[in-house]
Amino acid sequence: MKIAKFARITKHILVLSLTAFLLQAVIAPAFVRAAEFQEGDNYVLSTDMTIPDDLFVAGNHVEILGDVEGDLFVAGNVIEIKGVVRGSAHLMGNYIAVHGEVSRDVMALGNQVYVDGTVGQDIRVLAGGANRDFADITTSTMEIFGNMPLDFIEGLRIEPSAQVGGDVHAGIGGTAHLAGEVGGEVGLFAGDTVTFAGEAARDVALHSAVAVILDPASQVGGKLQYTAPEPALNAPAAAQYQEPTNTGADQGDGLGRWAWRTLLTLGGFALALALSRTTGRDQWERIALIARTHLGGSILWGIVSLLAMPFLLLLLPGITWVLFGTPLAIGIFVFLAVGWFLCWSLSPIVSGRNLASYLQPNMPGEQSTYVGELLGVLLIVLIVRLGTMPQGLVGLGTLLSILGGLILTVSYILAVGGWIQSWMRPKKGATETEGMAPVVAGSA
């Protein structure tokens, strides 16, 4: 009886899965046709234009003046949203500004993030940055950066005019300044000063490696907690100060283990680079060249891969399990997981080659291309490894973790984007591979 019941349940699951698969096969091509893809040096969505679906853009300067009915995906240098985005905005660039309206979430990865508009739901930001004086900025640069004030500093700045319906969470290398109205909770970590002068309906948690500044007029609906080297001056009575944690003597032992593992990791990547120069060298260098010369497309395809792989890790093994059973489903999952892990792990081999093209011309003497590539790869790996250092100094461990994760993510996006484009673009012969590696005297 139980066997018959199990068979009926299995049959129903199979029918539902096949139906879902067929619907996906019909709907997915329509979705791809509906989404709009744009790539170019400068892209402007004018005020009289409306994109009825999702919009994907890669370019140097991207300016959204019109309406986007779906989600917005942008990878570029300067990104400005002055119109309306009905969905969520996924942004990666150097300077990112939200002057208009985003009805749902804003997820930004950049150097400078500036918000003085309206965000319907959450803001998630990872940003770098250091203090910089813009007093000597040129007129042409100001035309590019638009509404950016002269006193803007790298990091995150949310102006008093900004309205955020949900939460604000950010990890910032430079300074973080929040003076707007937040309908949810706030969590800010910064390597420099954190300033809170706004309103939050729920809890606020602030962490700074330098100082926290609290405006007495700020309003918090929940708890206000902050961590900094010293208590804030003129802090509200309800603010709860927490001293930074220090692991003390245990830090030395942990640091020694970290240094030994880092040396082993660097040695492993040096060996992997050497093997990549003897096995499949043309393919590795072709991927690096395409990632460098077709930067916009590499960023776009890398982001698509980053968003699609977690979904595929669940979808494909699930369909395989329903149709063919558990062993094959496990095999598919392991194959995809290992492949994704290798893409993350080996991406510095590609990114290091591209970094070498900028480092090697400035190196003294005549160096072989292997020396430049080795320096580029090891530099990227070392920065990523710094993010795994034991927590010890004030805020430094978390800050390095953010920096390492950011570098590894960018490395993955560029490497996988270059690989996808190299697979899509047919080889043009030997003339294409001649300029793949940095050309210097004495190259090997």
Side-chain angles (χ1 to χ4, degrees), residues 6 8 29 39 60 100 123 186 215 224 319 333 349 375 404 407 417:
F6 177 77
R8 289 195 301 270
E39 178 183 354
N60 179 43
I123 293 181
V186 174
D215 190 329
L224 173 57
I319 294 176
F333 178 81
I349 302 296
L375 179 61
I407 295 297

Side-chain angles (χ1 to χ4, degrees), residues 125-140:
V125 173
L126 279 180
N131 290 340
R132 176 177 298 179
D133 185 7
F134 282 92
D136 57 350
I137 200 166
T138 62
T139 303
S140 60

